[in-house]
Each structure stands twice: as C-alpha cells, then as structure tokens.
C-alpha cells in the first residue's frame, strides 16, 4: 500500500474520530450524521432470556447457538434495527461486582455461571450481521416481567440492603415498587450506568458506531398501579407539600381550593381515596406526573454527566397510553420535555384480555390513537413539525389464554406503518427464562410454615379462606405488599421460571407459525418500500381531534372516568370519525400551535369537564368559520359562550340497559333537520352511558335540538355568524374502540349522523368507502417525491366484505407525478395483485376491494411505468 494512500486513510480515520455524532430527525426522517435512514423495522431480542436453561453453568456454546439462531431469524424477516434491555440485576450480581463477559464464577466450580451475561459478544454478533441501528434499554427498572419482584431489574441485594427504598402504601406498608426519588436508588443507578457505559456502551457510541437510541427507563407509571396505592412514604409526602407550596405559594389559597383548614405546609396530607375531594385528587395526580418527570430528568442528567447525551444518541422514553382506574396516563407535555426528559415513544398492546366472543382486538383504534397522538406531541421535542414516531414495544403476543390471531397482529403492524411509526420493534421477539423466579416463594414459605404450625394444620390441600387471608396480611406487613400468596404457594417456587408470551420465537429461538406473517410483512411491505415509508407523510382530512393532557386528571362528574375517557373513549371517537371516512389530525391543546387549530375546518373534542386554559384559548382563536363538535361535558360550550342548562339523563353507573336509543331527523336528501319539520323522518342510533340532556326552553338565539332521547334534547346545534357549535351529550362512540366493535347495531346510521354534523364545513374527504363497507376504515400516506400513494384498509367485521374505495382527484393530483394517459396502477402488497385504472376512474368510481373477516391490507397507487413522460 502506498504511503500516500496510508496517509489518506489515516486522515479519514482521524476525521471520523474527531467528528461529533449527530442523530436527529429532520425533514420527517431519521438522520445519522446527515445520512437519511430508512423505515426501521425491528424487534426486541432479549439475549439474557436465551440462556439455554434456568440455572447456572449452561455451556457457552449452547448460549451462542441460541443467540445465532434468534438473530438469523431476525435478519430473515428483513429487520434492520434491534432493541434490548440490559438488566441491572443480571449483570451486577453482587454490589459493585459486574459481569459483562459471561465469565464470572461465583460458585468457584471452574465453570462460568452465566455465559449469557456476555453482552459484549452479543453486540459483536449483531454487528457481524450488518445491523447498525441499536436501541439499548438499561433501566434501572425495565419492567419486562423480570426479576425477583416480577416487574424490574433492581437487584435483590439492593432490596436486602435498602429495605426502606420501597414506596409506602397509605397505611405505611412497603410495596413492591421502589421510590423513584430514593437517594440510594438514584445513587446506585448512577453507579450501574457508569459501569455499563465504561465497560460496554461507550465503545459503541459515536461516529460509525451502532448505538443510535438509549431509552431512559421503561413505562415509568407506577407499574399500572392506582396512584392511591403507593408513594405515601414520608419523603414523598414532603415532596408533595413542597409541590403544593410551589404551586399555590400561599397556604390560604390551598385551603380555599381544597376546602381545608391546614395551619402549616408540613401538616398537609395527600388524599388516600379518589372521589372525596376532587381538587385534592387533581393536585395528587399532577404531583405524580411531576414526580415521574423529575425522576426521568435525574436519569438523563446521570447519563449526560457520563458523556451520553443528544445528539450523540437519541434519548427516548417508552410509554403505554393506558392505565387502570385511578392510574396515571403519560402526560404529553412532561414526557416530551426537550433537554429535560426524552422523546416520548409508544408501547402498544391492543389485545390484553379475552372476552366471551373472542374479539379481534379489545381496543381496535388504540394503535391509531396512540401513534397519531404521539406524532403531534413529538413536535414539541423536535422543535418543529416532524412526522416521526417510534414504537419500542409493538405487541408480538400475550399471555396464555388470550387469542392474538394473525389477523389482529397484521392489523396492528399495518396500522402503525400506515400512520407513520417510522421505527417500530416487535415485543417480545423471543421467549426464554425469567430471573430469580423463586424469590417470592422462598420469602413467603417461612411465614406459611409458621402459620401452619401455629394452627396445628397438616392438611394443606384444603386450607381455609381465613388461613390465606392471614398469610396475605403477614406477607404484606413483613415482606412487601403486592404478592398473591395463594397463587405463589400453590404453584411452587419455579412455576414462573420460563416466560411464555406467544412470541414469534419460543424459548429455544424456534419460530412459531405467526413468525411467517412477520416475515411476509418484512419481505412484501417494509423492505421494498423502506425509503418511501421513511420520508412519507400521512394524508389528513381538514378535521382535528383535540386532546388535552390536563383532562387526564380526575373530574367532578363521576359519570366521566377521566383516564378511560382520555384513552379508550378518545380511541372510540377517533374510530367513529374514521368509520365516516374522516382521517383527522390529532392536536394537543397545550402543545399544538395556534396555526394548527386554524388549519382545520372542523374541530372535534371529547370534553371531560377539565380543559387547559391554553386549549380553550386555541378554540377561541381558531377563527369564526370553524365547526366545533363537542362531546359529553359542556365545559367548552360554556367557555365559548354557547351555554345551555344541562343535566344527566342516563348515568354511567345505572343498572339499566347499557345502550340508550336516540333519534335524529333527516329530510329526503338525508340532511340533518330539526325535529317536527315537514317531510322529515327519524333515524335511530344507540349510545352508551352517560347521556346528558339540555334545556332549550329559553330558546337561546341560533340554537336548536338535533339529537333526542324520549323527546328530550341530548344534542344541539348553534349558529353565530360564520361559527357553528355542536354539543352532543351522548357517548355514541365508546364501542368503536372496544370488543363490541364488530357487533355495532347501527354503523351506517351513526355514520350518517356524523357526516350530517360536518356537512356545513363542506368537507372533502380524501378517501371514501362505499356503503357496503361496514366496520371498515382506510387512511393514506403520500410521498414528497410524488412516487406513490400508500393506502391502508382494515376491517373489524367478522364476515367477508366486498366494496369500493374512491380516491379524491385532489389527492391524486397532489401526490402523483403527471402521466401521458393518466394511467395508474393499484397493487395489493400482500397478495401482489395489481390492477390498472385511469385517474378519473379512481376518483369517480374507485377500485374494488375484497377483505376476509377481520381483514387488512395495503395498496400502493402509482403511475403506470409505461405511461410516464
């Protein structure tokens, strides 16, 4: 090799080493050192579960063979990005003792205890396959159904040493959850991060290196527990008191707001039960949000002090937008706080429990809602309008007894692609062994034996309810709250040693049948179009569904469970809109710009009765020529000046039939008209509860009833100048995002009602399904380079359907290059069948579609190659 060439190579190497790594999202696309990245399609491959057996001393060759097999299947599915947790408890096996090479021999038998700890070799195996985009998830918690508590990677030695690091219940008992702000936890987390970074990660970050994303913990949400069950330790209460002090400044203001008579800040106590004092509930909820925000900020600061920060990597959060009753939904403002936390991403599980009729999905429009909501919220993190969403956990299976069919998997995967999730990872990709599964049994067994001895019991097959209740109480008091002692003692110490998730690969890295579906999507859908998917934009109609993180908090109206309304019901409202051929953009009242509100002809809102001031201001400034459709509470109506007296007609908790029949009236042309007008006829639809009634007896100017129940007004329409305001006090959309979606009694009638509501806005939807399509929606993506249009179609109907889909002339003109004879090709990517149509045929007649029960597919529309200029 010549001296000149050697010198040039040396200069290039030095330049690469000295150039800073820049990972960013720009022009709606992930960029790494100014290089555009394709659609990321990958999976979570958990090396630490592919151990070969539950116990120690598994031969290294067996572990490496499992890893090789899993990674080969990964590559065969055309995946190009990989993620994995790095569990703290697995690698720091004793305080200050780390094993990242799989060589530790604690039992001194001459064999490595766990060769599967060799994460360094796992990295090398990934890189050897040309996989250059890695997301690492080092915790500290991780969840992952892992560890001695079953929900995280905090080491058991840490628990033994720092018993008081756990959160406390309202009654002062230690829970399974750790206090996010415990000083020992934060300190040891920092030591864990430093060891991991020094020995493993640092060498794999920077120019030309594979680590692109680093996740700040995982699903930081109290592990889906009610916020009234945890975090009542003295340190937490002190932080709550300070939070109120910072918020209110004056204790008299707190007393006035909460209806209390506290003498000093240190006297204040948090609420223990929801519903007794809504103002206290709201502040406790906001405190929990803020507590997580500050914890995540601490983690980010630790990494920053280690030299790991943006743009060297993209720091992310992983959140599931769902919560139990009295639980905590992720706050879009706090979770996307630039330079304070990380980019909010989407963990998505639309099927998590079984119902008697075995529906396709429990939440058919959860994927649609969560991806679209995250897309809009992420703009605040990027600092500009960018369409880029990541999903680190997209459902790859679930526990035994839950039927996750191929149809449900396919719908979920095609939905997230269709809405612009430009980096998504199947979770779990593989099964394998759990860790410390026997710990809880071993802790409870002495208490069990103690109680047997005290009661002189020998027949353990028929222990009384009182016995189990007493054992549960002792366990709660002396160990931790949160263990199901009856289940643990009946099933034995190692019942949960293996993970089952019906994942694409089993615990031996062998593919299940549905792995082939994933492979087909990789081969037919993603890989051939990865560049288009990476740069494409979703096609929205001129409608916006307005969300508001403030509305997550509890509200005074007990008919509206705020968490369910913000997540499940909002998904139902989105599904209702999409079933009327409307694909709205989602806006966030606290985050979206004023211009975004002005761009929409129609603004739709689910009103819980609690709205951020900024959300109300956006509605006020949106412009006089907007149509506003507000559902349920009339808080927005009152603040916009459309006040009509209201009351509950059918309460949510009523024991009567769940569905309430309603009526609206149309003329011969199908247009919505006032009741009693000559030539009108009633159309019946059904609503879930609650239903609110409105008193129009005062005949407010410009307002008239449009929806009725037993001759009572449950929806009204107001006109002031160019402004149209519609209030609908009925939950006519809940069942769209539920297991009942396939059994809707009135889909066409509800579609007719919604289309009538938006008729005044002269809305021209980009896609339109024929009336034969029931429980079916469609949405599109377009290419800035005008190469093709991407159309996703999915059905929740349990029967086969044949219908047609029209594509508006405007969309065809704006999204495709001109051609000589205007010939277009429509291709079904899954069946690989193509048809040719003229532009006029597509816009006036549409193209035919046949879907199997619960079917879904993707079509591309492109210019006929033989018809190009």
């Amino acid at each position: 090799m010549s001296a000149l060439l050697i010198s040039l190579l040396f200069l290039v190497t030095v330049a690469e080493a000295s150039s800073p790594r820049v990972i960013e999202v720009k022009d709606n696309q992930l960029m790494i050192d100014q290089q555009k990245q394709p659609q990321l399609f990958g999976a979570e491959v958990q090396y630490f579960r592919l151990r070969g057996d539950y116990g120690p001393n598994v031969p290294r060759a067996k572990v490496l063979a499992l890893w090789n097999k899993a990674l080969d299947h990964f590559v065969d599915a055309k995946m190009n990005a990989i993620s994995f947790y790095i569990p703290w408890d697995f690698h720091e096996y004793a305080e200050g003792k780390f094993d990242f090479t799989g060589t530790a021999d604690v039992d001194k038998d001459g064999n490595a205890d766990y060769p599967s700890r060799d994460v360094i070799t796992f990295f090398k195996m990934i890189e050897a396959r040309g996989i250059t985009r890695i997301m690492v998830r080092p915790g500290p918690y991780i969840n992952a159904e892992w560890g001695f508590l079953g929900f995280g990677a905090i080491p058991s030695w840490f628990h033994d040493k720092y018993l008081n690091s756990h959160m406390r219940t309202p009654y002062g008992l230690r829970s399974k959850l750790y206090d996010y702000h415990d000083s020992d936890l934060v300190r040891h987390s920092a030591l864990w991060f430093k060891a991991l970074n020094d020995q493993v990660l640092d060498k794999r970050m920077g120019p030309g290196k594979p680590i692109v994303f680093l996740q700040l913990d995982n699903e930081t949400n109290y592990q889906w527990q009610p916020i009234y069950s945890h975090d009542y330790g003295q340190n937490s209460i002190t932080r709550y008191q300070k939070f109120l002090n910072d918020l209110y400044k004056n204790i008299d203001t707190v007393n006035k707001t909460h209806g209390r008579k506290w003498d000093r800040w240190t006297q204040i106590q948090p609420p223990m039960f929801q519903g007794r004092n809504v103002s206290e509930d709201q502040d406790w909820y906001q405190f929990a949000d803020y507590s997580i925000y500050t914890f995540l900020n601490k983690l980010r600061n630790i990494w920053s002090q280690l030299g790991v920060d943006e743009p060297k990597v993209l720091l992310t959060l992983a959140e599931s937008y769902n919560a139990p009753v009295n639980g905590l939904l992720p706050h879009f403002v706090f979770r996307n706080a630039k330079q304070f936390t990380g980019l909010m991403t989407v963990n998505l599980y639309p099927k998590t429990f079984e119902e008697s009729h075995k529906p396709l999905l429990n939440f058919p429009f959860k994927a649609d809602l969560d991806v679209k909501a995250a897309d809009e919220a992420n703009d605040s993190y990027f600092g500009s309008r960018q369409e880029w969403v990541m999903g680190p956990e997209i459902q790859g299976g679930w526990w035994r007894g839950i039927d996750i069919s191929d149809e449900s998997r396919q719908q979920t995967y095609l939905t997230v692609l269709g809405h612009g999730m430009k980096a998504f990872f199947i979770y779990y990709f593989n099964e394998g062994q759990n860790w410390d599964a026997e710990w809880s049994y071993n802790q409870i067994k002495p208490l069990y034996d103690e109680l047997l001895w005290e009661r002189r019991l020998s027949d353990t097959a028929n222990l009384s309810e009182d016995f189990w209740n007493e054992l549960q109480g002792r366990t709660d008091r002396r160990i931790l709250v949160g263990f199901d002692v009856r289940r643990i003692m009946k099933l034995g110490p190692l019942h949960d040693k293996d993970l089952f998730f019906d994942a694409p690969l089993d615990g031996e890295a062998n593919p299940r049948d549905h792995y082939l579906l994933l492979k087909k999507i990789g081969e037919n859908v993603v890989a051939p179009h990865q560049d288009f998917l990476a740069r494409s934009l979703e096609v929205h109609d001129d409608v916006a569904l307005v969300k508001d993180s403030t509305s997550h908090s509890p509200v005074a109206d007990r008919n509206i469970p705020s968490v369910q309304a913000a997540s499940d019901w909002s998904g139902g409202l989105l599904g209702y809109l999409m079933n009327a051929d409307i694909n709205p953009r989602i806006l966030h009242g606290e985050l979206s710009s004023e211009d975004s509100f002005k761009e929409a002809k129609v603004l739709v809102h689910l009103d819980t009765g609690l709205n951020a001031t900024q959300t109300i201001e956006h509605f006020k400034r949106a412009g006089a020529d907007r149509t506003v459709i507000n559902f349920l509470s009339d808080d927005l109506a009152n603040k916009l000046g459309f006040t009509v007296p209201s009351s509950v007609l059918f309460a949510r908790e009523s024991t009567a039939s769940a569905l309430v029949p309603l009526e609206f009236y149309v003329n011969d042309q199908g247009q919505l008209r006032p009741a009693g007008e000559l030539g009108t006829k009633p159309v019946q639809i059904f609503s879930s509860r609650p239903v609110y009634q409105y008193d129009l007896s005062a005949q407010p100017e410009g307002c008239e009833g449009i929806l009725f129940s037993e001759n009572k007004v449950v929806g009204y329409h107001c006109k002031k100048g160019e402004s149209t305001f519609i209030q609908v006090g009925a939950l006519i959309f809940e069942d769209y995002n539920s297991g009942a979606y396939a059994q809707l009694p009135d889909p066409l009638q509800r579609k007719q009602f919604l289309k009538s509501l938006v008729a005044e806005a002269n809305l021209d939807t980009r896609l339109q399904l024929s009336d034969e399509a029931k429980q079916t929606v469609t949405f599109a993506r377009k290419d800035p380079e005008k190469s093709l249009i991407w159309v996703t179609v999915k059905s929740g109907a349990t029967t086969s359907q044949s219908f047609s889909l029209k594509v508006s002339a405007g969309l065809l003109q704006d999204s495709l290059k001109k051609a000589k004879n205007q010939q277009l090709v429509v291709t079904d990517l899954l069946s690989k069948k193509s048809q040719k149509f003229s532009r006029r045929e597509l816009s006036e007649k549409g193209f035919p579609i046949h879907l199997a029960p619960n079917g879904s597919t993707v079509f591309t529309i492109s210019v006929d190659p033989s018809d190009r200029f």
Side-chain angles (χ1 to χ4, degrees), residues 388-427:
W388 198 89
V389 179
M390 170 184 277
E393 295 186 20
I394 305 303
Q395 185 167 17
W398 202 250
W399 318 121
R400 295 186 192 277
I402 312 301
D403 180 23
I404 311 295
S405 65
D406 281 4
E407 291 82 3
S408 66
R409 295 172 203 268
Q410 180 168 303
Q411 280 212 14
T412 300
Y413 304 154
L414 297 185
T415 296
V416 298
L417 283 171
H419 285 307
M421 182 174 278
K422 296 184 178 181
F424 87 87
F425 300 81
I426 303 300
Y427 188 93

Side-chain angles (χ1 to χ4, degrees), residues 637-648:
N638 295 332
K639 289 174 179 173
L640 296 183
F642 297 98
T643 301
V644 174
S646 64
S647 59
V648 177

